[in-house]
Amino acid sequence: MSDNEGRTSSEGEGEDIDNARKKRSLNPEDDSSEEEEDDPDEVRRVQAGFIVDEDEDEDEASGSGDERSRSADSADNLSDDDLDLLAENTGSAFPRPSKSSKSKPKKLLRRRQSPAASEASNSGSASEDMPNTDDLARIFEDMPRKRREAAAAEEEMDVDEDDDGLGDFIEEDEFDEDGGEAAERARERKKAKKQAMKKGKAGKRGGEGGISKAAWDDIYDIFGNGDEYDWALEGEDEMLAGNVTDLKIEDVFEPSEIQARHLTESDNLIRLRDIPERHQLMNSTLSSSPTYILGQFPKFPDIKLAAKWISSRISARTKNTFLSIPIQADELDSSRPNMHLKFLTAVEKALGFMFLEHFEVPFVWEHRRDYLVHYATDSQGHIIPKGMIELITRPELWKIFELGLKYRNLMKRKQGLLSTWEKLKQRLKDQTKQHTEEATAAPISIDGEAEGEEEKKPIREEKVDWRLTYFEEFVISPMGTAEESVEGVVDGADWLGIRFMKEFKEMKEDEDLDEETRLKEGRYKRPSAQGPKAYLNTYRDARLSNFVKAAGLPIEEAVSKNLFMNEQEAIHADIELFPEDYAEQFIDGKMLTDVTMVLRAARGILVQDCFKNPHLRRIVRDYFREQGLVSVYPTEAGLTKIDDFHPYNSFKYLKEKSITELAQSARFLHILEAERNNLVKVSFTLSEQTQVYLEESLFQAWKSNETSDSSSSAWNAFRRTVIKEAWEKELIPMGAKWAREWLRDEVENFVAGSCASLLEKAANQSPFRPKEYEKGASPSVLAVSHGKGDRNDAVMCVFIDEQGRVRESTKIETLDEKKPWELEKMARQGIASKTLPTDEFKALITRRQPSLIVVGGFRVGTHRLMERVKTLVLELAQAKVDKENEASRPGGSIPWGEAAKTELELEMELKDASIPVTFVPDDVARLYQHSDRAQREFGLYPPTSRYCVGLGRYAQSPIHEYCALGSDIVAITFDDYSQKLVPQEKLLLAFERVLVNIVNDNGVVINDVIGDSYQHQILNYVSGFGPRKAQQLIRDVVRIGGFLTNRLELFNKHLLTPVMFDNAAGFLEIPHEMDELELSPENPTTQPDPLDSTRIHPDDYEFARKMAENALELDDEDVADDHPSKSVVKLMLDDSPEEKLNELNLDDFADNLRDIRGVEKRFALNVIKDEMASPGRDRRADFQVPTPWQIVTMLTGESETTLVPGFLVSGRVTRVHRGEVNIRLDSGIEAIVDKTYVSDEPVNSCDEVVKADSYPRAVIIAVYPEKLLIELSLRNTELAYGDAALRKVTPDEPFDRERAEADAEAAQRKKRTDVDRLKRQIDHPNFFNMNVAEAEQELASQHRGDVIIRPSSKGVDHLNVTWKVDDGLYQHIDVLEVDKPNPQSLGRILRVGGQYSYHDLDELIVSHVKAVVRKMEELMNHEKFKGKNQEELDSYLKTFCLAQPGKAVYAFGLDRDHPGYFKLGYLDKSGGTIHYWGIKVNPGSYVIGNAEVGGMLELCNSFKTQFQKQQQQNKLISGGGGGRTPGMGARTPAVGSRTPGAMRTGMTPMHSGAAGSRSGMTPNPYAQAYTQAQAAMTQGMVPGGYPGYSQPQPYAYPNAAGGYPVGGNYAGYSVPQSGAYGAPQSAYNGYPVQGYQAGYEDSSGWGSQAAAAVSGGFPTAMATTTVPSSTGGPGMNPARMAMISSSSSSAALNSDTIKPGAEGNNYAAGGSNTAGDSKDAGWGSRGRG
């Protein structure tokens, strides 16, 4: 219902009529409230024929009868109020319906008709006649009838809407399938009805009322018959009846707007809780993404344990001052108090106040300070003057609150861990009980022992006992100490997961919770172990656990008992077998295929045990925190970008910098920023001595003491290997990762604290104080600015009164002084001088009389504006002084005997009469001018005027302006270099705490805040409040009248809850004029109280009143009948209240309060004394005007670090005089050059050397910041020195000089190489003079197959073609140019790989590169292509085998290690190791093994054929069996020896080729040809082995076509062959056939010596001598050449193919490889020659 409905008429209408209108308005179809009342005469004219029933049919035959029937229906349906309304408007009486008709309305009777009757009535209505227009009641007849018809149609599933051609456009959801036909029928009936109505009415009404039939047709065609919108009115009755669901706020506003307005359910919960708002959020109340503490508010854990944990983490001051004092028993009863205990007690009290009583930090600091300090006393117990020791400072109190939140969360995590532990322990107890019962019921053997009991029971009990004992004594117990941490709880949970893996798995199976229950209880599935260490869990559950037991004590016992106790309490006896011998029995032929695999798996398990041990992890973290070292070294990009003048040069070569030193500066944040930009790499480590000490300590705790047995020495060596691997691969990386995050958090907190300190200095200032103002009073301000100061920028002036309200805003054209010719022009035009803009400015000052004028702007021209304003103000002051002198001395004569005023007196008199003019910091004003707040307050003002408002308000109260910024406060920069590197959430939290401190220090006048929307924001920072609770209080106070008489009304009128009142009451001031207070003893709680104008808390009012009585020497009888605070008023009005208060003995008063009431009030009594002596005294510092350098920065952006004498600068010469030159720098600052500094030689005039509008370079020789002026020199002798020495960034110490010198030497070498390299000029769109990095960068954003042709380092007879294979993958093709007309021209023949020849670059691109691309895309589009990298390929193969066990699978993948090649990976039915085949892509074909095929079908078939042949060869070689030699599987009785001839399951005899065959192995009939070569292979691989791995794949034969070895597996080998130089031995088509020696990869690629390769064939013979290496390497081994000769039948090696290259660059002559240059193609990829 609208607001106007039901409202009483103000024009004398009767009550009955008004009620009738109310009833009528409920019917939307009859509502005519928006129409004017009808005149009776007009009604009669309408009756003549203009009011018609638009829905009637006009059948002549039945018209009159139906008409009467409808008239009766209409009368019956009209209420009494409707009839009264009709009678009033028409002057006629209408019959009242009978009671019987009312009891059963005809509308309901018609609804009860049968469907057939209803349909008949609908169809029959078309023949109804038009109503008799003589009866005005027919006006209301139409609507009820239509509603009855609509109801009947709805009952019949008819549709009321017209068929207007859009009926099917929107499908109604409410119609079901059965209603579709009904709806269609209804539309047909409706359409027919409309046509009949239109036809009938047209025939009936033709000519009636003076309107022809054609006119009626036009009316109906244009306006319809009135039924078109009945569907929209059907639900209005229900709406008015109140059946519509109430709107929610979510239905009106966007979620973001709801959150911004603090209207979410969480915000409402914060308002309702009687807890400070900042205590209910985990982050700042200014944050746009608040983190709420939802649900039941968490309880705080044990205060004493919390204090113990927190005390060591507060600050270095408290740690060194108080915690360094030991707590000794003999000191507890001594007269000298133990400060350690005092400090711990203070921490406990602070935690209790904040987390148990919910007091905020400002309240605790102001009203509970007595518990945070200690008063030193003399021997008699009297407090020593200045003997107060501050146990906790205010920043430390905030830190305690922050640590308290962390401790509460820590205990919550710990409780979850303990809950898990209790469940686990109960399960272990139940299992032990069940085990005992089973043992008791087991059959007893002859000797009285259950079978197997002697072996099983002790082992199980020992397993359970040591785990339980360790966790409870060494994991849970330390959590109650100061060493407890979140990391410790996580470590404990990880340790449980490792040591009780089986039990957790069983518990998980027993729980059997469905997902819904799991989510409801907040329990989630623990992720399964993933990653490279996941396989260790399988080993741990297998028989391998027995080997781990034999390896020594559990690492937990070794650490807890031997390492920490410094005693060898736990002793382990080694078994007699060597580790290798003992490992043989654990070979299972599946996962553990040989001894190496067993030992590696066992080491992995033990390493994980060390890594998961909570003790060791805590030790590592502690050592990194105290002794960690940080080193930095540049990347390749950093070497180029970070020069001597770059800010990052300070840490470019930082070497082993202490973490503790980095934590006290912002340097580490810049290091991380440089690392994010890929300019440097950062490493964390411990010193070598520390690592050796830790490793040795752990080894001594874990080793076996049996030194006589050689097997013990072997086991100790095994343990030492485990320890070394654990430290190097797990513990040190873990510690480094933790130290990085810990240091980052510490440095971010440090920088945030530094910025917060600068904010406090800027915001904690009282208003600018003119002479006549008291401190804290806001002056009236006139703010002046011309913005950027451009030619057309006018001067904007804004006047703000003392209350901060803008009273006037004026625009003045300019304040510049008019020149004489301008004045003459104005005089000729008849313009009076009084209309000058300067006169207008003076008139503004005279009219408004501001107490202060502030000037601001954005350019250097603002400084000139300031000088001009000062001049005009001085002129006004001079005129005022002259006027006063004229009034006191008529005619200007000096009275006889009176001396004339001195010049100093006149100057002082003029200064007193002048209005102060000053700059103010404008960082807040710059933000304000474009803010939404400014737009709301002064949307019609231009930005410069809004800027002036910000300047003026800042001068009146800096804290108000900073508080009003809200979250935008982080946009103000306090640290130009580091602030941007700190997360905004941390800055907001630090800034908010500073503002809270300042606001509560000074207090808030609550009535001013309520009445002024500008001050609303400051209430957010009062103790206990935040934006949500502040909004609520303002609304509540406005609801009761908008004014508070005293503080108690906040509580008595339920405006604040108890805790909120305690927190805030002392900071909400209600000032009173003491001389106007009339206090009555009756109802003191409803009267003003003088103590409300102080910062004394209401809880301390009685102490203040008692002190006032004692100071005035009043007895209880003197004040018995007065208002309780009457004595306070008398004291405040006294001439010397401070003297009287100083006479009181507050120490005795405090002692009495402690003895009688048990409260500490010594500090509070001092605060009460100061407040009564000076109520509401402003504690803020005096307003600080900007320093000259701050003004320079504000107007120019320059600073003391950019304008340094000796720096070189440049600028535009604006004017050249005879004696000096004026120059303007780019920043706008002005500079001058004296004639003596223009040139080294004397000059007569400056224009002889310098010309106007030139841009010379000059040297700064002097800076005058107060004048915004610098002095320069243009002498060449001074310019020659430069400023490099001044601008150079000094590296931090310790500095890695060795690395810096090596990088510098490499850079010089590269520079020389670049100079020597000749740039080529080839006319082709794809040719660029680029190196490999630039080419790859250029192709990064292009498509596959795009090409860049570039010069080659091999010389002018080579080119390099770089093309994009895939994202991040590029192939580099070496192109040999043949038949060159001259060295600089392009060769007529371009040869690739010695196999393909082309005549120009276009043919090479199309016929070679594009052809390869087409074949690659053909393969990548094949269904068997499953991975763009090896991880995707491996994942597919493993997933397939898991999904379909027993099936073999193969798939293709992209070989990212060798661009232009693919991998074919396959897994056999056993699902063991993945095997790979290489596929080379040629133009138009694929090469796999020894076959070259043209398409994908042939490629797949070729693989299958070759694979079958290989399988047959393997069976033939292995004798068809494999595994152990028949008959030799049993162990030899002799302990420690191996079974003669025993061979491990699955071992291929070829593995032992290098060392000779062991006895008992199956002979290899194919190994004879390799005997000589294998014996000589001290480095490298067998033919066909994959490069870089020392252990070859069995039977990886070289193929005649080159490429990958047939069936060769190159996965899983990571140990390089020792002593290898990386020289390729033989190459063919880009892939090695002999193999590379791994272990050395220098900047020149895989190796420095190119081997022999033939063009188009495979070598069969080589010289027996070693090929010399230009870099001093061993070259090619003769044995390898012999092996190639014996295993290949290709053409003989042509000796001419061996071509040594230049120094440091040797190249394979016949292949596509480049061995010596990392920038060119080696194997088709950079650095893989």
Side-chain angles (χ1 to χ4, degrees), residues 218-243:
D218 293 339
I219 290 172
Y220 274 91
D221 288 339
I222 296 172
F223 300 104
N225 63 354
D227 289 339
E228 289 83 357
Y229 298 100
D230 284 354
W231 58 270
L233 302 175
E234 290 176 358
E236 196 164 341
D237 289 337
E238 296 181 0
M239 291 178 62
L240 296 175
N243 295 330

Side-chain angles (χ1 to χ4, degrees), residues 45-46 66 151 269 407 537 571 584 644 666 730 748 920 927 972 1051 1175 1255 1301 1379 1434 1575 1663 1694 1726:
R45 285 193 297 271
V46 171
D66 290 341
L269 179 62
Y407 186 77
N537 297 329
I571 301 175
E584 286 186 351
D644 291 342
E730 299 290 353
E748 285 177 353
V920 294
L927 287 177
I972 297 178
F1051 184 76
Y1255 286 83
E1301 292 172 357
D1379 191 12
D1434 293 353
N1694 187 349
R1726 176 172 47 149

Side-chain angles (χ1 to χ4, degrees), residues 311-325 339 343 346-347 365 372-374 388-397 400 664:
S311 60
S312 62
R313 292 170 166 81
I314 297 175
S315 68
R317 183 193 77 88
T318 58
K319 191 173 184 179
N320 298 330
T321 305
F322 304 120
L323 298 184
S324 60
I325 304 174
M339 297 309 296
F343 174 67
V347 175
W365 181 252
L372 309 180
V373 299
H374 170 71
M388 187 184 77
I389 300 174
E390 203 164 42
L391 300 174
I392 300 174
T393 63
R394 183 159 55 183
E396 291 166 352
L397 192 60
I400 291 174
Q664 300 304 314

Side-chain angles (χ1 to χ4, degrees), residues 382 1141-1150 1162 1165:
H382 300 297
L1141 288 169
N1142 288 334
E1143 295 176 358
L1144 299 178
N1145 189 341
L1146 298 183
D1147 294 340
D1148 291 345
F1149 192 14
R1162 180 64 186 84
L1165 294 178

Side-chain angles (χ1 to χ4, degrees), residues 622-630 657-665 742-743 746-747:
D622 290 343
Y623 268 93
F624 265 98
R625 180 170 53 243
E626 302 296 335
Q627 302 182 26
L629 302 174
V630 179
K657 182 82 170 181
S658 172
I659 283 182
T660 55
E661 294 182 34
L662 284 175
Q664 300 304 314
S665 70
W742 176 84
L743 182 58
E746 289 291 312
V747 176

Side-chain angles (χ1 to χ4, degrees), residues 1184-1193 1200 1265-1266:
Q1184 299 294 321
V1185 297
T1187 64
W1189 272 114
Q1190 289 174 334
I1191 296 173
V1192 170
T1193 303
E1200 294 177 273
E1266 64 280 354

Side-chain angles (χ1 to χ4, degrees), residues 35 129 171 467 706 1065 1198 1263 1287 1296 1312 1480 1491 1527 1532 1603 1648:
E35 299 177 3
D129 292 335
E171 297 181 1
R467 293 185 300 175
E706 300 176 6
E1198 303 282 5
V1263 182
R1287 294 185 181 272
D1296 193 348
R1312 289 193 299 268
K1480 181 183 178 183
T1532 305
S1648 57

Side-chain angles (χ1 to χ4, degrees), residues 763-778:
N764 193 23
Q765 301 181 64
S766 61
F768 187 94
R769 185 184 177 186
K771 275 190 175 182
E772 65 276 11
Y773 280 74
E774 295 182 358
K775 184 178 181 180
S778 297

